[in-house]
Amino acid sequence: MYKNVLLVGASGDVGKSLLPDLLADPHFQVTILSRTDSSVNFASNINVIRVNYSDKLALIQALTGQDIVISTVGGEALMKNFDKTLIEASLEAGVKWFLPSEYGFDLDDPAASSTPINIPLLENIELLKQNQSRMAYTFISTGAFLDWGLDNGFLGFDIPNRAVTLYDDGKHLVSGTLLKNLGKAVVAILHHPELTLNQRICLADTTFTQEEVLNLLKKYTDNKWTVKHITTEEVLKQAQEDWEKDNWMDAYIAFVLAYAYNGKGMCNFEKKTSNKALGLESITLEQVVKEAVQPKETNA
């Protein structure tokens, strides 16, 4: 029933993690949608359609014949809510199933509606729900991307310099998924429409506190870690100020960190994950931390 899959945003962090698993599955015929002005080149055996993203008719034509559209757009395209354009074009083109670029938070949580960065995403959710009789949807919440966030310091851990910023003393539970595992999860979602159509799917390889991560980092590095403390309330206040000053990227990062670490539920999926139902293997926090530390130790 669902064979032709169009991936949008294939050169970004999320898209790059999905592409190999989609291509490896013989059930799917995969096409990449890319901007006409993009300098990114893909392997010659991958079907790529290049369009002007501002040309709605060209988008509709590119999407025609696709069963599933998976959006992994980020950055400027996310800021300009390109997903809304994609959803509208997909409806016109007769696409059967749409997966928007959400990931991260559980946007069904009541706290989501009070965050300005979520407003366009919530509008997209409403648009998809209003049209679910014409096109199915699946919303995917992954929590924090653990491997990505530990590697680049986004989650507050500067592993090379043995420094950490603890939010609210690192006491609150946070769910996280390894970015490298996301492709397998999305393929599993596509293979189980009976579980995933018109649903929000929460994924988590592990649920943890910053304090637990720090203790494991000390175990696998050394005990000489510099610790900085900050409250999520302070971070949220700074996010609001940056937003009002149009410092969009600073505001976006601050909002994400504040809501990830404030323990209010938007990033804690402990009792609502679908990993087991989708047949996804579990992984311990200790494994995650060991993998995050080992390459840095090797290259030191």
Side-chain angles (χ1 to χ4, degrees):
M1 184 179 178
Y2 304 103
K3 182 170 182 63
N4 297 322
V5 178
L6 187 78
L7 179 63
V8 189
S11 62
D13 288 323
V14 176
K16 283 189 291 189
S17 73
L18 299 191
L19 185 58
D21 290 290
L22 288 171
L23 291 172
D25 193 312
H27 181 81
F28 300 117
Q29 181 67 45
V30 180
T31 299
I32 290 172
L33 187 73
S34 181
R35 300 190 318 273
T36 49
D37 59 351
S38 173
S39 59
V40 178
N41 292 312
F42 299 95
S44 58
N45 63 329
I46 302 175
N47 185 33
V48 180
I49 300 176
R50 297 189 184 273
V51 298
N52 180 346
Y53 280 5
S54 61
D55 187 339
K56 191 79 167 284
L57 289 177
L59 269 178
I60 293 169
Q61 186 176 2
L63 298 175
T64 299
Q66 299 296 330
D67 299 315
I68 303 170
V69 171
I70 304 173
S71 175
T72 61
V73 299
E76 187 179 357
L78 194 62
M79 183 173 64
K80 292 181 177 179
N81 198 12
F82 180 56
D83 262 8
K84 183 181 180 183
T85 303
L86 270 179
I87 293 166
E88 291 170 347
S90 295
L91 286 165
E92 290 293 321
V95 171
K96 298 173 183 174
W97 191 358
F98 192 95
L99 287 71
S101 184
E102 287 191 7
Y103 315 103
F105 294 132
D106 174 5
L107 295 178
D108 291 341
D109 188 274
S113 60
S114 63
T115 312
I117 60 171
N118 290 337
I119 291 172
L121 302 179
L122 294 171
E123 289 174 352
N124 294 340
I125 288 170
E126 188 60 31
L127 179 60
L128 285 164
K129 286 183 175 180
Q130 287 172 354
N131 289 280
Q132 69 182 61
S133 62
R134 295 170 58 194
M135 180 174 70
Y137 62 81
T138 299
F139 307 130
I140 302 175
S141 299
T142 61
F145 285 132
L146 290 176
D147 43 357
W148 176 88
L150 288 174
D151 186 53
N152 63 20
F154 184 86
L155 293 176
F157 299 92
D158 182 351
I159 296 174
N161 295 307
R162 307 291 191 262
V164 59
T165 299
L166 291 182
Y167 297 82
D168 295 346
D169 296 322
K171 301 288 188 183
H172 297 307
L173 286 171
V174 185
S175 293
T177 299
L178 294 177
L179 186 58
K180 68 177 185 178
N181 287 346
L182 184 58
K184 295 181 182 65
V186 170
V187 167
I189 284 168
L190 299 185
H191 277 291
H192 291 86
E194 74 285 357
L195 298 176
T196 60
L197 280 183
N198 300 327
Q199 300 290 328
R200 174 169 299 279
I201 300 299
C202 290
L203 304 170
D205 285 325
T206 187
T207 295
F208 62 96
T209 67
Q210 274 192 298
E211 190 176 48
E212 291 172 330
V213 174
L214 180 57
N215 288 336
L216 286 167
L217 284 170
K218 288 178 178 178
K219 175 180 176 180
Y220 288 105
T221 56
D222 55 54
N223 288 317
K224 298 175 183 177
W225 276 73
T226 302
V227 181
K228 175 185 174 183
H229 292 270
I230 193 168
T231 68
T232 54
E233 189 176 331
E234 290 174 82
V235 178
L236 197 56
K237 182 181 177 183
Q238 185 60 54
Q240 294 283 5
E241 290 175 3
D242 283 329
W243 185 264
E244 289 165 10
K245 294 174 183 175
D246 292 328
N247 298 332
W248 186 86
M249 189 52 70
D250 290 340
Y252 184 88
I253 292 169
F255 276 124
V256 168
L257 290 169
Y259 281 102
Y261 284 133
N262 70 358
K264 297 289 177 67
M266 208 156 58
C267 205
N268 178 6
F269 314 151
E270 194 172 32
K271 296 178 181 178
K272 52 187 178 184
T273 64
S274 296
N275 292 60
K276 188 173 181 181
L278 293 171
L280 301 172
E281 295 180 7
S282 59
I283 185 168
T284 66
L285 181 63
E286 188 154 3
Q287 287 174 281
V288 172
V289 173
K290 281 178 72 175
E291 287 184 19
V293 168
Q294 285 170 342
K296 294 172 181 62
E297 295 295 344
T298 303
N299 296 331

